[in-house]
Every structure is written in structure tokens, then in C-alpha cells.
Amino acid sequence: MRRSWVEQVMGMPVSVLARGSSAGSDAADTAVQALFTSLREVDRVFSPYKPDSDVSRLGRGEIGWDDVSPDVKDVRERCAAAGELTDGLFSAELPDGGWDPSGLVKGWAVERAAELLRSVDGLDWCLNAGGDVLVVCPSAEPFTVGIQDPRDPGRVVAALARQSGAVATSGTAARGAHLYDPRTGRAVRSRWLSVSVSGASLEYADILATVAFVAGDEWPAVLPPGYEGLGVLADGHLHATAGWGTG
């Protein structure tokens, strides 16, 4: 049996595709609805577009770090750790002195909320949050994850079969030059349109996809063991690391 859900949360479509005998159960529906609730709460706290979020209030100086929620403090520590892990290629500190953890929050929030789906016995599921995907298949039958063509959102440039783990993509095709290099404070200009990263954790795949895009032609070298990548050049050519397509 297959069943799907979709909602617009955190400014993006979030979908769950479930498969197996428990896909039609009340337990599955309850877990999915709780997942959406969790993501809506993250959006309330972290959105830089909502004037009453903790992030927005921090930016205006209305509250300090002692006043934010425990989740914001946790994410601040995770952002700092990601900066150390990537030798400064990742940073939530903006060139203008502000703080925007958006490059980490989505992967962290989705992976945390997905624990609710793991609690449903025997359920295969594929969770897609704006193109970043997390998969768990107790049946060992994989889902196929499509990598979107950054030149044409209606096409895919590659397909990746996954029994478990995550795939995240970063680039400028959809939102323009919104990424910046923390080392220079300037917007990233690259001959790469997107870089997708696969690995065990969606939080780290999301971070690493951003870092890889910032790194430009050196992006394969920034991926640690256990994570693989696929880059799409402006002329449509693809470059994959040696382990891409496994897992």
C-alpha cells in the first residue's frame, strides 16, 4: 500500500510518501501530522521573514541570547560546529553582522521531525522538503530520488536509489546569488549550477551541499568520508564523486 501527504511549511512543499502495510494506519497519519506541526513550530521560531520569530527579534536587538528558546541555542552551537568542521566554509554569521542559520535549520528540523516517522513499525517512507530528501526503508526496497535539473525544474538530470539516508542540493538556479563565501563576505559566483550531496544525515548533507557549492571547483575535496556528491555545470555536464550512486 502507498499513501502520501503534502503541506506547504517553512515556505516550501513538504511531502511524505509512505509504503507498506502500515501506510494506511492511524499511527502513520498521526506521525505525519505531528511532523508537520513540528516543522511549523520551527518556522515560527527561526523564520527570518516572520517579524516575531526569535531570529528576527535577535536581529533587531529586541532580545539577547539569554532570551531565546533552547532550540535556538542548540542551533547556534550546531552552526559553530559546522563552521569548524568545514574550515570556515559554513557560517551563520552574515557579512552585515546579522545571524541567519537557514543553511542548517532545514536539514536539522526535518531530520529531527522524521524521528516521528521512524516510530511507525514496518513503514517505508520518503520525506521530501523542498528538494532535500530523507529515506528509510525497513523493507530494503529502495525509493528512487530524482536530482532536479537546475536549468529546467521539470526535468531530472540523475536518479539515485536509496534504501536509507539523505540527499540535499544547493545552488543558485532557483533563488539567484543568495549564497555567500564566509571567507570573503561576497556572493558566490560559480560555473556550477548546483551540487547535490548524499549521506547518512540530512542535517550534514544539507550543510555539505552548501559548503560544496561555495567551494566551487574544489567541491569534491570538501566532502568527508561517507558523503558523495554530484555537480551540475552551467553547460549541463555532470561530475560525480567515485561513490555517488551507492547506498
Side-chain angles (χ1 to χ4, degrees):
M1 179 178 183
R2 288 174 177 259
R3 187 179 182 187
S4 62
W5 300 257
V6 63
E7 284 200 18
Q8 191 79 11
V9 188
M10 297 173 67
M12 62 187 172
V14 177
S15 65
V16 179
L17 174 60
R19 184 177 65 195
S21 59
S22 57
S25 67
D26 289 343
D29 186 65
T30 297
V32 171
Q33 298 308 323
L35 178 147
F36 289 142
T37 297
S38 175
L39 295 181
R40 283 192 291 269
E41 175 61 14
V42 168
D43 192 39
R44 185 191 69 80
V45 172
F46 286 94
S47 173
Y49 306 108
K50 295 182 182 295
D52 58 346
S53 72
D54 280 18
V55 168
S56 294
R57 296 178 69 203
L58 269 172
R60 294 193 300 269
E62 295 175 3
I63 57 174
W65 287 106
D66 290 339
D67 307 309
V68 299
S69 74
D71 280 349
V72 176
K73 294 176 182 178
D74 179 25
V75 164
R76 184 191 191 191
E77 292 177 1
R78 289 172 182 269
C79 288
E84 293 180 7
L85 177 71
T86 62
D87 293 327
L89 280 169
F90 178 90
S91 178
E93 307 295 332
L94 299 176
D96 64 4
W99 186 74
D100 182 0
S102 299
L104 181 143
V105 163
K106 180 170 75 167
W108 163 80
V110 171
E111 190 159 45
R112 184 179 70 164
E115 290 300 314
L116 295 157
L117 300 177
R118 293 180 189 271
S119 68
V120 183
D121 291 339
L123 187 71
D124 289 357
W125 49 267
C126 177
L127 171 56
N128 187 326
D132 291 348
V133 178
L134 186 61
V135 169
V136 169
C137 299
S139 71
E141 179 184 348
F143 284 104
T144 300
V145 179
I147 305 301
Q148 188 181 67
D149 186 341
R151 300 164 302 165
D152 181 354
R155 296 181 64 249
V156 297
V157 294
L160 185 64
R162 298 288 291 179
Q163 295 180 15
S164 65
V167 183
T169 298
S170 184
T172 56
R175 296 175 55 193
H178 69 288
L179 298 174
Y180 75 96
D181 187 335
R183 299 166 300 181
T184 65
R186 295 193 295 268
V188 175
R189 306 288 181 181
S190 176
R191 67 193 187 107
W192 299 91
L193 293 183
S194 69
V195 179
S196 298
V197 173
S198 66
S201 164
L202 184 58
E203 178 179 345
Y204 282 101
D206 196 20
I207 291 167
L208 291 169
T210 299
V211 165
F213 191 83
V214 170
D217 288 350
E218 304 303 316
W219 70 260
V222 308
L223 301 183
Y227 288 83
E228 304 292 341
L230 176 74
V232 182
L233 285 164
D235 63 7
H237 282 82
L238 308 180
H239 176 76
T241 56
W244 177 264
T246 63

